[in-house]
Amino acid sequence: MSIVQDYVAGALSRLNTQMLKRTGVSVGPGVRCHGRPLVSLASGSSVSIGPGTTLISSSKRTDLGVSRPVIIRTLTSEARIRIGADCGLSGSTLCAAIGIELGNRVLLGADVMLVDTDFHIVDAVPRRHQGLPPSYTKDMIRIADDVFIGARSIVLKGVSVGAGSVIGAGSVVSRSIPGGVVAAGNPARVLRPLSA
Ligand SMILES: CC(C)(COP(=O)(O)OP(=O)(O)OC[C@H]1O[C@@H](n2cnc3c(N)ncnc32)[C@H](O)[C@@H]1OP(=O)(O)O)[C@@H](O)C(=O)NCCC(=O)NCCS
């Protein structure tokens, strides 16, 4: 990038970060937003983004491109989304009815989706008449430090991924994955320890 392009990108990033703050997000120093994320907070809920984290919502700023902007949404007053320091999110969706936590230095590949609710009740009759199913603390999603989640993976309610693990592209993570492993597939299963 030229110096002028760099300057313009920096200014736009600052504007997008200001927008995040106006929406009610707690934003740490050095957070960068390439392209405008979509953020909405239910009244009483909270979202925080740790220092040095980068949100990429524009295909110009990532080799793989993104299909959509970063989307961060809390759906209920109890919901909490906490993103740690020095994380990188590309076109990722974090949608919480109860809670989503990312540790530090977590990388979410293009179009990854983390969602801690089914949105609709599984049984057909109440599904037609009721909104969001109830959420419990056990439904929280917890992604530990230094995890890398491959592009277009989906992480479902109640899942934890332990420190340093890698989740292969296009995985559906429906059960927790320990730290220090490579896991992939639908449903995601451990393939091997990281050091092997
Ligand atoms: C998970 C990953 C890191 C594994 O890489 P690796 O250790 O070199 O693994 P290999 O390619 O040797 O594959 C090992 C086995 O896992 C399987 N596998 C690898 N990635 C897989 C995936 N995403 N889904 C399902 N199975 C997968 C392979 O088919 C192979 O199975 P086999 O032993 O039965 O033949 C890699 O495949 C991957 O998905 N990288 C993520 C890329 C990405 O999304 N980047 C984000 C950019 S924004």
Side-chain angles (χ1 to χ4, degrees):
M1 262 207 282
S2 71
I3 294 172
V4 174
Q5 283 172 323
D6 226 17
Y7 177 80
V8 171
L12 288 173
S13 172
R14 280 190 292 280
L15 276 177
N16 288 325
T17 307
Q18 290 301 328
M19 182 279 296
L20 278 181
K21 289 180 181 167
R22 279 200 302 275
T23 317
V25 177
S26 161
V27 181
V31 168
R32 281 165 296 179
C33 294
H34 301 302
R36 176 168 282 218
L38 272 179
V39 179
S40 65
L41 276 73
S43 171
S45 67
S46 70
V47 174
S48 65
I49 304 178
T53 283
T54 302
L55 309 183
I56 299 182
S57 299
S58 160
S59 287
K60 288 183 192 156
R61 299 304 295 259
T62 172
D63 289 339
L64 269 189
V66 292
S67 305
R68 52 177 177 267
V70 168
I71 299 174
I72 299 175
R73 287 214 163 100
T74 54
L75 305 173
T76 67
S77 59
E78 312 148 271
R80 305 278 175 267
I81 294 180
R82 193 177 65 76
I83 299 171
D86 298 318
C87 296
L89 284 63
S90 296
S92 316
T93 299
L94 278 64
C95 211
I98 183 78
I100 299 177
E101 291 178 358
L102 305 190
N104 300 321
R105 301 171 300 280
V106 170
L107 295 177
L108 303 184
D111 303 339
V112 163
M113 198 180 275
L114 276 63
V115 52
D116 74 355
T117 170
D118 296 331
F119 275 88
H120 301 284
I121 291 168
V122 173
D123 295 327
V125 173
R127 192 191 315 143
R128 283 208 304 276
H129 304 293
Q130 290 175 31
L132 214 55
S135 286
Y136 307 99
T137 309
K138 68 175 176 53
D139 297 331
M140 280 187 69
I141 293 175
R142 293 188 172 90
I143 311 294
D145 292 348
D146 302 300
V147 167
F148 166 33
I149 302 186
R152 303 209 165 166
S153 293
I154 303 175
V155 179
L156 297 172
K157 67 180 190 298
V159 163
S160 298
V161 181
S165 284
V166 176
I167 305 294
S171 297
V172 177
V173 191
S174 56
R175 294 285 180 260
S176 292
I177 301 293
V181 301
V182 178
N186 178 6
R189 301 282 187 233
V190 174
L191 299 176
R192 63 176 175 84
L194 259 181
S195 51

